[in-house]
């Protein structure tokens, strides 16, 4: 069963390679969606795929790459991205 989450990650998550790390982790798990910086200092991601892979990705996002410090993650169920779109790093909003 496919599950899709919209995440907003708070903390020291910009300037530490979080987006690239997130994209690599998502691709390794076979997920689709995107990750991007937001101007207010958070990172936003939509992750979609098998429920177990999405849960594992959410857990990984709680720590992030080595230099990140995740304070909290807001999560909500989201609409799945179009099939076959893969995972990408999107432009800052």
């Amino acid at each position: 069963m496919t599950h899709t989450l919209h995440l907003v990650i708070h903390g020291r998550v910009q300037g530490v390679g979080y987006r690239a790390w997130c994209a690599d982790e998502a691709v390794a798990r076979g997920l689709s969606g995107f990750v991007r910086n937001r101007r207010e200092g958070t990172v936003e991601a939509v992750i979609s795929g098998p429920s177990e892979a999405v849960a594992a990705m959410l857990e990984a996002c709680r720590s992030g790459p080595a230099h990140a410090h995740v304070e909290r993650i807001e999560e909500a169920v989201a609409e799945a991205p179009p099939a076959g779109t893969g995972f990408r790093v999107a432009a800052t909003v």
Side-chain angles (χ1 to χ4, degrees), residues 17-76:
Y18 199 100
R19 289 177 302 160
W21 170 87
C22 185
D24 289 346
E25 292 289 319
V27 168
R29 289 174 168 80
L31 299 173
S32 59
F34 70 87
V35 62
R36 65 184 170 193
N37 283 343
R38 297 189 57 90
R39 285 190 176 87
E40 82 274 19
T42 61
V43 168
E44 176 183 29
V46 171
I47 54 175
S48 184
S51 297
E52 290 177 4
V54 169
M57 182 69 189
L58 174 59
E59 190 58 34
C61 285
R62 294 190 193 287
S63 52
H67 297 294
H69 176 75
V70 176
E71 293 174 1
R72 67 185 169 95
I73 297 178
E74 297 173 43
E75 61 179 279

